[in-house]
Amino acid sequence: MTTAKAYAVQTKTSPLEPWSFERRDVGAHDVQFEILFCGVCHSDIHQARDEWGGSKYPMVPGHEIVGRVAKVGPHVKKFKAGDLVGVGCLVDSCRTCDNCKEGLEQYCLNGGSGTYNGFEQDKKTPTYGGYSNVIVVHEDFVLRVSDKLPLKAVAPLLCAGITTYSPLRHWKIGKGHKLAVAGLGGLGHMAVKFGVSFGAEVTMLSTSKSKEADAKKLGAHHFLLMSDADAVKKATGTFDFILDTIAAEHDYNKYLALLKTSGTHICVGAPPTPAQIRMFTLIGRRKSLAGSAIGGLPETQEMLDYCAEHNIVSDIEVIDIKDINTAYERMIKGDVKYRFVIDMATLK
Ligand code: NAP
Ligand code: ZN
Ligand code: ZN
């Protein structure tokens, strides 16, 4: 066993504080790596504070993990000591169900193993995430990371990146499409970058006037302030797709009205409260309301390779781990440009 240093929450109301626990010994197919950077996702906040229900404590959040391989098991073929690697939201799955066989491990029918706040496939060993200095993961759930990109800015690709890349690919969004991205945070800024890279005409739907210049800098062609009633009215029926990354309760009907006939509103944001949808908003123009979760292992690798080829990374603010609680408060206020990344060298 290896003792891992970490930051954990002990209850849903406690702050993140130093904690330590044991990582398993390196098994035949395992990769052990030193965590160098870990992104901070809004899902970390939802789970640390038990906003979705069912949280398990102590909890070490973090599922945007990058680092350097320290040790590999004797049967590991894909990695060797010194390689740069990443781990996202999954550390294992059943590997036998129809979805796993298709590389859609995020939809494992027997329950995948989340990187934290979950269990290993024995359904009893808790998993602990990336706000820690070391991790041991089966090689099948470890991703290759290019040394061409700045590693700290790659970390958020492991969740914010794949969560926006996957639905854009699934719905084949690109040239000829008008895409609106709702919410300019960690996921939203990656959605803008991918949408633009795939050739779509991208509009940022934001509640923050102050983010207009940034949205344009990120590549968005247009910016719509959702509190500007006239502009919102003018945009009625104009988008083929909305990719909704909003983390808090909001009125979906207001956004659905912006879709064209047969348009699709894709939810990736996961506010804790159930939404009220007026069915006539959908029925009246044959609109679809859809959802999407992260991405499977093959697609996550494809996304990382795409980013290396097209020089796409996250816009980040690097923080010391002792400032993680302040970072959470700032994220809740929408005050992050556009992803906090913890420098794990600050975990002493
Ligand atoms: P984030 O960085 O905090 O960004 C969320 C953005 O939503 C904010 O910056 C803000 O943008 C907007 N927003 C916040 N409150 C709002 C409100 N009341 N009404 C309208 N807009 C509001 O969060 P994130 O890390 O990108 O995560 C976003 C959501 O996706 C979270 O719920 C997270 O749990 C979820 N998520 C889902 C998956 C998945 O697999 N589906 C994966 C990762 C994360 P503006 O200032 O531009 O309005
Ligand atoms: Zn996440
Ligand atoms: Zn499965």
Side-chain angles (χ1 to χ4, degrees):
M1 304 271 247
T2 306
T3 303
K5 287 186 280 186
Y7 263 52
V9 281
Q10 301 293 335
T11 71
K12 67 177 182 183
T13 51
S14 47
L16 284 145
E17 282 173 333
W19 187 60
S20 65
F21 64 96
E22 300 297 315
R23 292 285 190 199
R24 67 171 181 258
D25 287 332
V26 180
H29 290 277
D30 282 341
V31 174
Q32 177 180 310
F33 68 92
E34 180 197 358
I35 299 176
L36 297 174
F37 297 100
C38 183
V40 181
C41 179
H42 208 113
S43 304
D44 299 350
I45 305 180
H46 290 314
Q47 292 177 89
R49 300 184 176 183
D50 198 19
E51 292 172 356
W52 291 337
S55 284
K56 301 167 192 61
Y57 301 96
M59 184 192 302
V60 177
H63 57 206
E64 294 184 335
I65 305 168
V66 290
R68 193 177 289 282
V69 175
K71 225 193 257 179
V72 299
H75 295 307
V76 170
K77 295 204 176 63
K78 279 168 35 195
F79 304 100
K80 57 176 187 330
D83 287 353
L84 292 177
V85 291
V87 165
C89 303
L90 291 169
V91 288
D92 210 347
S93 71
C94 85
R95 297 140 189 266
T96 56
C97 74
D98 289 349
N99 289 348
C100 282
K101 282 196 266 187
E102 262 190 76
L104 296 171
E105 297 88 350
Q106 76 275 36
Y107 305 124
C108 176
L109 299 170
N110 296 308
S113 298
T115 300
Y116 68 87
N117 193 27
F119 293 112
E120 298 286 356
Q121 285 297 296
D122 64 6
K123 310 288 180 195
K124 55 176 197 241
T125 308
T127 54
Y128 298 118
Y131 298 3
S132 59
N133 63 341
V134 60
I135 193 166
V136 180
V137 180
H138 190 288
E139 65 171 324
D140 291 350
F141 286 76
V142 178
L143 286 312
R144 275 176 283 107
V145 166
S146 165
D147 59 7
K148 291 199 194 88
L149 298 174
L151 190 64
K152 52 193 170 189
V154 167
L157 300 179
L158 275 306
C159 176
I162 185 60
T163 303
T164 49
Y165 181 95
S166 181
L168 293 175
R169 286 304 198 206
H170 177 76
W171 275 275
K172 301 184 169 47
I173 300 172
K175 273 195 183 60
H177 289 136
K178 288 188 199 282
L179 165 69
V181 174
L184 184 43
L187 268 57
H189 92 291
M190 291 311 306
V192 170
K193 290 187 186 207
F194 286 131
V196 169
S197 180
F198 299 166
E201 184 178 330
V202 178
T203 301
M204 186 72 234
L205 311 182
S206 178
T207 59
S208 311
K209 174 85 184 127
S210 60
K211 294 181 184 173
E212 179 164 5
D214 282 349
K216 300 268 170 72
K217 240 189 270 163
L218 290 164
H221 305 95
H222 315 281
F223 182 89
L224 178 56
L225 183 64
M226 291 306 287
S227 56
D228 180 343
D230 288 342
V232 169
K233 197 164 168 207
K234 238 188 251 159
T236 300
T238 56
F239 300 116
D240 298 290
F241 295 96
I242 296 173
L243 187 55
D244 183 337
T245 76
I246 298 170
E249 195 175 346
H250 57 290
D251 180 6
Y252 288 85
N253 302 290
K254 185 172 172 186
Y255 291 80
L256 284 162
L258 304 180
L259 287 172
K260 288 182 188 170
T261 300
S262 308
T264 303
H265 181 123
I266 307 159
C267 299
V268 288
T273 41
Q276 292 210 318
I277 314 288
R278 268 192 305 279
M279 285 311 137
F280 287 102
T281 318
L282 301 175
I283 293 167
R285 297 278 190 278
R286 196 172 56 192
K287 294 176 185 178
S288 304
L289 181 59
S292 180
I294 48 171
L297 272 294
E299 195 174 43
T300 305
Q301 189 63 62
E302 174 192 306
M303 178 273 312
L304 286 169
D305 296 345
Y306 182 90
C307 288
E309 196 185 325
H310 294 86
N311 206 21
I312 294 174
V313 286
S314 172
D315 289 18
I316 58 166
E317 200 176 314
V318 176
I319 58 166
D320 188 315
I321 197 157
K322 74 173 168 29
D323 297 325
I324 185 67
N325 294 300
T326 314
Y328 275 22
E329 294 314 316
R330 282 188 50 197
M331 254 175 107
I332 289 163
K333 287 193 219 126
D335 173 24
V336 48
K337 293 190 169 181
Y338 277 91
R339 197 56 140 188
F340 289 116
V341 171
I342 305 164
D343 178 354
M344 222 43 80
T346 63
L347 176 60
K348 298 269 164 39

